[in-house]
């Protein structure tokens, strides 16, 4: 069977994967022949990391203008789509709010986006979805393909990365959509040895794929005035973005490299973990060099959210001091909200919810707009309020940088607990994933992976 050769570009995407769904059961996403990828309209599809082919209906959303005034409100349709093709001309922000009607499901989530960053059909993969909502969902795409693998790579372990992975085990993967498929080969210690890139359109369902691992890892030198907490290497092939976890040791790192194209990121936190620096750089001639941005300081005035049930905290302001004099930025704000209630949860199920809120917008006068929560969300005097907050600001202010933040790059440190002394207070970041349609060209898509950036973050525990 002919295998199409796909050019590889390495970059970075960090995506936190964590779920606290308290309900049992593993629903099966539907197969109802709903539109294939090329027919998807300009929309934001609400889905989940656990079932990425599952569109969640009935999710509330609101559209705001530049001043933060409400233009229209509605709910995602039966396929989980929030249609963007006929919005008012002055639409600026889109905010969704997911909540289950199941009183035992305690995790809700919300996000606010600049509408301009949703330049094609995209889906947001929520961390926590009620199993009852998943069981009733409609398929976003109609492809469900299972592939098995024969390991002839010389390594002891194989790992797979593709779009819309429904499930996988040691030698089999089930996909919800056609996609590039990256297979990496590792030794017994988990060290990356080889990689191979396939196109799933070259195979039929139930086909067996032989992995020979055509690209051998190369040793890259890391030069940085700042030490690395964590290093991630990323393949990117339209529309695939796939991270390969590995550690930098003694200023070197093993990574699969093709045509000297590689990118890597270093994430650095201060001693007290209340500030974090992030960078991405291209590798040139087996070497990666990072900037010294340790003099960056982010002074943030976080929203207050106290016991009186004030759920309209709608602005975060900041001042970035350091090596740049640029005054326009894009940012990612995240918080974790507890509606409160303590021992009264059983008496009133509207309390005792955890709400994870994320915002991806450009700054206006060094502030970010935060959409208010629905007015019917109640806060109990006992413990109600924001329990953790974080902000990351990038030195670029273009749409591509917003997409980079919304896809998880440079921001899933929040989900890993930066600034949260109590791990139960860590934040959640739901990635925004572009879907493989032609509304955004391959070149436009890959621009988000080919630009270096510096970013700085601050976190606060209430």
């Amino acid at each position: 069977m002919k295998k199409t050769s796909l050019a590889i570009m390495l970059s970075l995407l960090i995506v936190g994967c964590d779920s606290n769904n308290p309900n049992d059961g593993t629903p099966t996403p539907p197969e109802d022949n709903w539109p294939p990828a090329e027919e998807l309209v300009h929309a934001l599809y609400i889905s989940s990391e656990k079932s990425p082919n599952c569109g969640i209906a009935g999710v509330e959303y609101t559209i705001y203008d530049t001043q933060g005034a409400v233009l229209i409100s509605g709910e995602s349709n039966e396929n989980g789509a929030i249609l963007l093709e006929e919005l008012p001309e002055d639409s600026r922000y889109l905010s969704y709010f997911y909540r289950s009607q199941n009183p035992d499901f305690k995790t809700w989530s919300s996000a606010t986006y600049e509408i301009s960053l949703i330049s094609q059909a995209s889906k947001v993969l929520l961390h926590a979805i009620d199993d009852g909502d998943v069981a009733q969902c409609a398929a976003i795409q109609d492809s469900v393909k299972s592939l098995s693998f024969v390991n002839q790579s010389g390594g002891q372990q194989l790992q797979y990365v593709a779009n819309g992975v429904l499930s996988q085990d040691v030698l089999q993967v089930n996909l919800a959509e056609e996609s590039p498929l990256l297979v990496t080969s590792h030794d017994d210690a988990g060290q990356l040895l080889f990689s191979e890139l396939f196109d799933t359109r070259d195979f039929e369902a139930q086909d067996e794929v032989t992995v020979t691992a055509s690209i051998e890892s190369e040793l890259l030198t890391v030069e940085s005035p700042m030490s690395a907490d964590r290093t991630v290497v990323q393949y990117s092939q339209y529309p695939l973005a796939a991270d390969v976890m590995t550690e930098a040791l003694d200023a070197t790192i093993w990574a699969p490299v093709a045509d000297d194209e590689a990118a890597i990121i270093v994430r650095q936190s201060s001693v007290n973990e209340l500030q974090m620096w992030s960078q991405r750089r291209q590798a040139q001639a087996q070497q990666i060099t990072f900037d010294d941005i340790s003099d960056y300081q982010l002074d943030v005035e976080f929203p207050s959210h106290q016991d009186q049930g004030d759920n309209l905290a709608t602005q975060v302001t900041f001042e970035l001091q350091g090596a740049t004099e640029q005054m326009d930025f894009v940012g990612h704000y995240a918080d974790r909200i507890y509606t409160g209630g303590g021992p009264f949860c059983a008496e009133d199920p509207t309390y005792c919810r955890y709400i994870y809120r994320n915002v991806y917008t450009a700054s206006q006068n060094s502030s970010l707009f935060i959409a208010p929560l629905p007015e019917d969300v109640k806060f109990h005097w006992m413990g109600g309020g924001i329990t953790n907050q974080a902000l990351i600001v990038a030195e670029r202010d273009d749409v591509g940088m917003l997409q980079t933040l919304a896809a998880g790059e440079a921001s899933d440190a929040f989900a890993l607990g930066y600034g949260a002394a109590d791990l139960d207070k860590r934040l959640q970041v739901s990635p925004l994933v572009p879907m493989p349609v032609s509304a955004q060209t391959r070149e436009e898509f890959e621009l988000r992976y080919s630009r270096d950036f510096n970013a700085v973050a601050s976190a606060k525990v209430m």
Side-chain angles (χ1 to χ4, degrees):
M1 180 172 293
K2 180 179 179 294
K3 176 173 74 68
T4 302
S5 174
L6 298 176
I8 301 176
M9 183 176 78
L10 286 169
S11 72
L12 170 99
L13 178 64
I14 307 173
V15 179
C17 294
D18 140 46
S19 174
N20 58 356
N21 190 334
N23 302 301
D24 296 325
T26 304
T28 301
E31 303 175 36
D32 65 353
N33 297 317
W34 191 67
E38 59 269 18
E39 297 178 18
L40 295 176
V41 298
H42 183 197
L44 175 66
Y45 294 87
I46 307 298
S47 186
S48 72
E49 289 189 322
K50 186 168 81 171
S51 299
N53 199 35
C54 180
I56 309 299
V59 176
E60 306 163 50
Y61 73 87
T62 303
I63 305 298
Y64 301 87
D65 66 12
T66 300
Q67 305 304 317
V70 174
L71 297 179
I72 57 174
S73 297
E75 295 183 351
S76 61
N77 66 19
E78 64 274 14
N79 297 307
I82 300 173
L83 302 178
L84 305 180
E85 295 180 316
E86 299 181 357
L87 294 182
E89 289 185 4
D90 53 348
S91 300
R92 172 73 182 269
Y93 307 109
L94 180 155
S95 178
Y96 71 79
F97 187 77
Y98 169 78
R99 52 178 159 181
S100 170
Q101 300 305 307
N102 177 1
D104 294 326
F105 192 81
K106 298 186 180 301
T107 303
W108 296 345
S109 60
S110 175
T112 300
Y113 303 103
E114 294 268 354
I115 292 176
S116 61
L117 77 84
I118 308 174
S119 59
Q120 62 176 57
S122 303
K123 58 184 174 184
V124 58
L125 301 180
L126 304 185
H127 280 270
I129 290 286
D130 182 7
D131 281 347
D133 291 337
V134 174
Q136 300 177 35
C137 77
I140 294 176
Q141 293 175 257
D142 63 1
S143 172
V144 177
K145 181 178 287 186
S146 178
L147 300 174
S148 60
F149 299 88
V150 176
N151 183 6
Q152 295 184 358
S153 69
Q156 299 302 308
Q157 307 170 33
L158 297 182
Q159 296 180 9
Y160 320 110
V161 184
N163 298 327
V165 177
L166 298 174
S167 64
Q168 65 182 59
D169 55 30
V170 176
L171 290 174
Q172 182 170 310
V173 62
N174 297 307
L175 301 171
E177 60 193 63
E178 298 289 8
S179 167
L181 171 67
L182 175 67
V183 183
T184 52
S185 175
H186 304 259
D187 62 19
D188 285 332
Q191 175 65 54
L192 176 65
L193 298 176
F194 304 95
S195 65
E196 191 163 3
L197 193 65
F198 299 95
D199 186 336
T200 62
R201 293 170 298 183
D202 290 335
F203 304 98
E204 302 296 333
Q206 310 304 323
D207 270 359
E208 191 174 75
V209 181
T210 299
V211 179
T212 59
S214 57
I215 300 175
E216 186 173 358
S217 295
E218 296 186 18
L219 187 64
L220 307 180
T221 300
V222 178
E223 291 190 6
S224 174
M226 305 168 67
S227 61
D229 281 345
R230 180 186 181 200
T231 303
V232 179
V233 178
Q234 170 81 20
Y235 280 103
S236 174
Q237 171 59 46
Y238 181 79
L240 176 69
D243 57 335
V244 179
M245 298 299 300
T246 186
E247 292 187 20
L249 300 174
D250 300 323
T252 59
I253 185 171
W254 285 98
V257 177
D259 301 325
D260 293 325
E261 290 184 339
I264 195 172
I265 196 168
V266 97
R267 297 196 290 120
Q268 165 73 30
S269 67
S270 61
V271 175
N272 62 9
E273 294 190 341
L274 292 180
Q275 183 140 347
M276 178 269 291
W277 295 271
S278 179
Q279 299 182 65
R280 182 178 63 210
R281 291 294 179 269
Q282 296 284 339
Q284 300 294 333
Q286 285 78 48
Q287 180 173 304
I288 306 105
T289 301
F290 293 97
D291 294 342
D292 183 355
I293 58 172
S294 58
D295 59 340
Y296 277 41
Q297 286 292 325
L298 184 62
D299 296 325
V300 187
E301 182 177 339
F302 282 115
S304 62
H305 194 111
Q306 302 303 324
D307 296 339
Q308 303 306 311
D310 171 18
N311 67 343
L312 303 180
T314 57
Q315 196 172 73
V316 56
T317 59
F318 62 90
E319 181 178 357
L320 180 63
Q321 300 174 345
T324 180
E325 296 180 356
Q326 183 178 340
M327 297 305 295
D328 296 321
F329 304 93
V330 295
H332 172 195
Y333 168 78
D335 61 22
R336 176 187 185 270
I337 302 171
Y338 179 54
T339 59
F344 302 101
C345 297
E347 297 179 15
D348 190 342
T350 59
Y351 294 128
C352 302
R353 296 292 181 269
Y354 293 104
I355 302 172
Y356 292 90
R357 183 167 60 172
N358 288 272
V359 176
Y360 306 91
T361 67
S363 69
Q364 292 185 318
N365 300 318
S366 294
S367 66
L368 299 181
F369 168 75
I370 303 173
L373 300 175
E375 293 183 357
D376 63 328
V377 175
K378 298 180 180 180
F379 289 85
H380 196 279
W381 63 269
M382 184 177 289
I386 295 174
T387 62
N388 194 9
Q389 297 169 289
L391 171 70
I392 186 168
V393 174
E395 62 183 356
R396 293 202 341 249
D397 67 342
D398 55 277
V399 170
M401 189 64 226
L402 269 175
Q403 290 179 324
T404 295
L405 291 176
E409 295 186 34
S411 59
D412 90 317
F414 303 162
L416 297 177
Y418 277 85
D422 182 350
L423 292 183
D424 289 339
K425 294 182 179 180
R426 65 176 50 183
L427 302 171
Q428 290 185 353
V429 178
S430 297
L432 181 71
V433 180
M435 300 180 72
V437 293
S438 59
Q440 186 180 49
T441 67
R442 173 172 174 168
E443 289 73 23
E444 289 171 336
F445 180 91
E446 290 184 342
L447 276 176
R448 59 187 288 217
Y449 298 104
S450 63
R451 299 178 182 174
D452 295 343
F453 71 80
N454 295 322
V456 59
S458 182
K460 179 181 181 181
V461 179
M462 304 297 285

